[in-house]
């Protein structure tokens, strides 16, 4: 693996270092519900502080529309970072405006400043390269060097991830290096049996990864929202569950290819079907081929894998030497539909080998269900990024750091 490291930037004492972190944490009423991404950014920041750099942290949070929106302010994240670093962390009320400029200018050696949400600026995610470059140029005004450490966004061609890194000497932070180490172990000669567990709701995003994984894995376990497209592809009705009808043919192709390659695609045999999408909805366990045979008929919603499926998945996971899991098995945010995710998470903690959890919601799920990070081999901070890496795609945010 070739990736420019922080050392390559030379002595950083007194230098202004802009660090692109991924501090996109889930918030409820302004309170951080999972601070995993903030914690993951600490090692790089501590290293830079110890060297006496003037550390300027930038990140996005949520999907504001290219303009300030108080609900997506990074202020609570800056406060959390101060707690975790055990030092005072400054906060600028804008990203490249007068407050940021004044606070950057006043920054002392070894001090840390967080700038307001990158995505309050349309240039950050613009499709127009010139607009991105212009915004990156404004950020570069604050930087003698750039450290890129937002692993969750390296698959995005965005101003702070791609253009900024080309305007100043730049290197990867410790989080990106650690993430790539683990992903390398998943792609280069993984120990077998190798199982990948897929779920969640970004169905079409995740279907793409399957084509690339089929030649590499021994088993693919399908839960979460995408299971219904698989059930439909095998001729079953799925009520009002999440379904990507236009992907059914693609999925049928995967099933055929898997059979030819001797890869097991393990589909649920039972599903938890609910009358509606809410925590107090009536719900029953139905066989996967009879989802519409419940009292809710065609309006029933599959919101979790059933207990028989969860047990079968858990057995398969425990019997594997390498396991990668992305996407909750059900709507774990609602207690009645969290059981499948809990059983799968439990099984991952018992793997005698490498177990990796990837994905923002998957990571939040295991923590919310009471598991500790160190019960897993690795919890990745990036869902989309890790999937695209496993797909073998070239990731723009890594290419600019010298990755090949
Ligand atoms: P990750 O962030 O881990 O990559 P996704 O963003 O793809 O995962 O999906 C997470 C979401 O998927 C969760 O909010 C969960 O409620 C939802 N989900 C899981 N199973 C289902 C289902 N059967 N129907 C609808 N949503 C589901
Ligand atoms: Mg998600």
């Amino acid at each position: 693996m070739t990736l420019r490291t922080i050392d390559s930037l030379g002595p950083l004492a007194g230098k202004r270092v802009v660090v692109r972190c991924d501090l996109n944490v889930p918030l409820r009423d302004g309170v951080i519900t999972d601070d995993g991404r903030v914690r993951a950014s600490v090692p790089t920041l501590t290293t830079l502080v110890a060297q006496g750099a003037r550390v300027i942290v930038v990140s996005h949070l949520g999907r504001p529309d290219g303009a300030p929106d108080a609900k997506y302010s990074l202020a609570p994240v800056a406060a959390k970072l101060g707690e975790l670093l055990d030092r005072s962390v400054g906060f600028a009320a804008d990203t490249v405006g007068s407050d940021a400029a004044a606070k950057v200018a006043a920054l002392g050696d070894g001090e840390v400043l967080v700038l307001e949400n990158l995505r309050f600026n349309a240039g950050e995610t613009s499709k127009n390269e010139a607009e991105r470059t212009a915004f990156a140029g404004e950020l570069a005004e604050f930087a003698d060097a750039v450290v890129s450490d937002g692993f969750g966004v390296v698959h995005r061609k965005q101003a702070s991830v791609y253009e900024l890194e080309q305007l100043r000497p730049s290197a990867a932070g410790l989080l990106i290096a650690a993430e790539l180490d683990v992903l390398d172990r998943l792609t280069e000669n993984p120990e077998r049996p190798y199982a990948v567990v897929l779920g969640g709701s970004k169905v079409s995003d995740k279907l793409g990864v399957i084509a690339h994984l089929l030649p590499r894995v021994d088993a693919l376990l399908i839960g979460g929202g995408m299971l219904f497209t698989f059930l439909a592809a095998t001729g079953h009705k799925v009520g009002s569950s999440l379904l990507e009808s236009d992907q059914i043919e693609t999925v049928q192709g995967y099933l055929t290819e898997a059979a030819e390659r001797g890869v097991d695609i393990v589909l649920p045999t039972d599903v938890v079907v609910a009358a509606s999408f809410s925590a107090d909805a009536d719900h029953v366990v139905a066989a996967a081929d009879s989802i519409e045979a419940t009292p809710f008929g065609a309006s029933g919603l599959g919101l979790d894998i059933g207990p028989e499926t969860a047990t079968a998945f858990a057995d398969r996971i425990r019997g594997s030497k390498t396991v990668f899991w992305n996407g909750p098995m059900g709507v774990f945010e609602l207690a009645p539909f969290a059981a499948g995710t809990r059983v799968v998470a439990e099984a991952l903690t018992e793997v005698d080998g490498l177990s990796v959890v990837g994905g923002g919601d998957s990571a939040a799920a295991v923590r919310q269900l009471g598991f500790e990070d160190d019960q897993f081999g690795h919890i990745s901070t990036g869902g989309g990024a890790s999937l695209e890496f496993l797909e073998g795609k070239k990731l723009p945010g890594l290419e600019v750091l010298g990755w090949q």
Side-chain angles (χ1 to χ4, degrees):
M1 134 170 148
T2 54
L3 198 59
R4 293 195 301 280
T5 59
I6 293 175
D7 300 343
S8 73
L9 299 173
L12 293 172
K15 294 273 172 65
R16 296 167 308 158
V17 181
V18 169
V19 188
R20 196 340 173 166
C21 295
D22 175 5
L23 304 176
N24 182 27
V25 293
L27 287 170
R28 196 176 299 135
D29 305 323
V31 177
I32 299 171
T33 55
D34 175 28
D35 65 3
R37 283 179 166 164
V38 190
R39 281 186 278 134
S41 70
V42 165
T44 293
L45 300 179
T46 309
T47 301
L48 294 170
V49 165
Q51 291 190 35
R54 303 177 179 192
V55 181
I56 300 146
V57 178
V58 296
S59 174
H60 71 290
L61 177 72
R63 297 192 168 179
D65 227 0
D69 181 342
K71 137 163 132 258
Y72 296 113
S73 173
L74 277 170
V77 177
K80 170 59 76 177
L81 193 57
E83 256 172 58
L84 293 171
L85 291 172
D86 198 21
R87 58 174 47 242
S88 96
V89 165
F91 180 70
D94 50 31
T95 324
V96 290
S98 54
D99 195 40
K103 286 182 174 151
V104 168
L107 203 58
D109 295 359
E111 290 183 351
V112 181
L113 170 69
V114 176
L115 305 185
E116 186 53 288
N117 197 336
L118 288 161
R119 292 189 189 167
F120 287 2
N121 306 269
E124 169 68 359
T125 59
S126 173
K127 297 274 173 264
N128 180 314
E129 190 186 328
E131 282 173 27
R132 290 199 310 270
T133 303
F135 178 56
E138 293 185 81
L139 287 168
E141 290 295 315
F142 295 154
D144 300 310
V146 174
V147 170
S148 180
D149 211 23
F151 178 70
V153 283
V154 290
H155 58 315
R156 308 271 187 219
K157 208 176 237 187
Q158 296 178 345
S160 67
V161 180
Y162 186 68
E163 278 82 14
L164 174 62
E165 279 67 11
Q166 300 174 61
L167 296 175
R168 291 289 181 271
S170 63
L174 302 176
L175 174 61
I176 285 191
E179 295 269 13
L180 290 180
D181 245 14
V182 174
L183 287 174
D184 252 2
R185 287 166 66 197
L186 290 176
T187 40
E188 306 293 324
N189 301 316
E191 221 187 323
R192 298 188 175 280
Y194 179 10
V196 170
V197 190
L198 292 177
S201 56
K202 294 179 188 159
V203 179
S204 38
D205 281 10
K206 294 183 185 187
L207 285 175
V209 76
I210 293 177
H212 187 75
L213 287 175
L214 281 178
R216 300 170 183 247
V217 303
D218 300 299
L220 210 50
L221 282 49
I222 307 288
M226 76 171 68
L227 79 85
F228 304 99
T229 306
F230 276 80
L231 291 180
T234 55
H236 301 308
K237 294 217 163 92
V238 299
S240 302
S241 310
L242 206 62
L243 172 66
E244 305 244 341
S245 321
D246 56 344
Q247 299 287 332
I248 291 177
E249 247 176 79
T250 310
V251 165
Q252 284 166 338
Y254 292 150
L255 291 167
T256 309
E257 191 191 337
E260 283 164 8
R261 289 182 179 276
V263 173
D264 291 331
I265 293 191
V266 187
L267 298 181
T269 53
D270 60 349
V271 174
V272 180
V273 180
S276 65
F277 197 104
S278 80
D280 51 13
D282 275 351
H283 55 277
V284 295
V285 174
D289 59 5
S290 329
I291 289 178
E292 295 193 356
T294 74
F296 325 124
S299 63
L301 287 169
L303 296 185
D304 194 10
I305 56 173
E308 181 183 276
T309 302
T311 305
F313 281 16
D315 287 345
R316 194 78 200 214
I317 290 166
R318 277 195 224 93
S320 300
K321 288 282 184 194
T322 306
V323 183
F324 175 77
W325 172 31
N326 172 265
M329 294 293 98
V331 183
F332 71 94
E333 298 94 333
L334 307 178
F337 313 110
T341 301
R342 181 180 291 109
V343 171
V344 161
E346 185 81 55
L348 254 91
T349 67
E350 292 162 8
V351 169
D352 176 19
L354 176 63
S355 61
V356 180
V357 181
D361 291 290
S362 307
V366 298
R367 294 187 185 117
Q368 187 181 311
L369 295 173
F371 295 92
E372 299 292 333
D373 287 22
D374 62 10
Q375 290 181 271
F376 303 91
H378 179 71
I379 299 187
S380 174
T381 52
S386 51
L387 282 176
E388 290 200 14
F389 186 95
L390 293 180
E391 273 182 73
K393 284 196 184 156
K394 291 203 182 313
L395 308 186
L398 294 180
E399 287 197 303
V400 287
L401 304 174
W403 174 267
Q404 285 161 11

